[in-house]
Amino acid sequence: MAKKQDTVTYELKQGNKVVYVGTTNDPERREQQHREDGKKFGHMNVTSRRMTEDGAKKKETDRLATYRKNQGRNPKYNKDSDG
């Protein structure tokens, strides 16, 4: 049986600054959860096509590694190296 391709990667941005990188299968719900959790951001950008959860998690991990390489740290609201 084929795995469902229903998960995307996304970034929360404050202006041009990335403050969070994550994955979800429901971007609208997840954006609302972040706002309810008190995260400060202007908008959410979906940064991938729909893919399997495993594929999205790998893309998220890779994006965080690139961010750390360029910025020397995680985005403001990411606590660990895999999101």
Side-chain angles (χ1 to χ4, degrees):
M1 183 171 163
K3 291 187 177 184
K4 289 173 58 173
Q5 293 190 350
D6 65 350
T7 306
V8 297
T9 59
Y10 67 92
E11 296 175 341
L12 301 182
K13 296 186 85 174
Q14 184 64 45
N16 290 330
K17 184 176 181 182
V18 174
V19 295
Y20 186 82
V21 174
T23 65
T24 185
N25 62 7
D26 187 342
E28 294 80 19
R29 174 188 50 80
R30 192 67 179 120
E31 181 177 10
Q32 185 59 36
Q33 286 175 329
H34 286 305
R35 291 192 189 283
E36 290 169 1
D37 289 346
K39 291 184 175 76
K40 305 287 189 229
F41 62 97
H43 62 281
M44 172 192 269
N45 283 344
V46 173
T47 57
S48 74
R49 61 180 171 75
R50 293 201 174 270
M51 60 184 77
T52 65
E53 183 177 2
D54 289 345
K57 293 284 186 191
K58 180 176 182 343
K59 189 170 183 75
E60 174 190 26
T61 299
D62 293 348
R63 174 65 180 105
L64 285 167
T66 299
Y67 186 96
R68 281 191 304 277
K69 180 181 174 188
N70 294 332
Q71 303 295 322
R73 59 179 169 70
N74 272 338
K76 180 177 181 177
Y77 297 118
N78 284 96
K79 302 296 184 213
D80 54 36
S81 62
D82 63 353

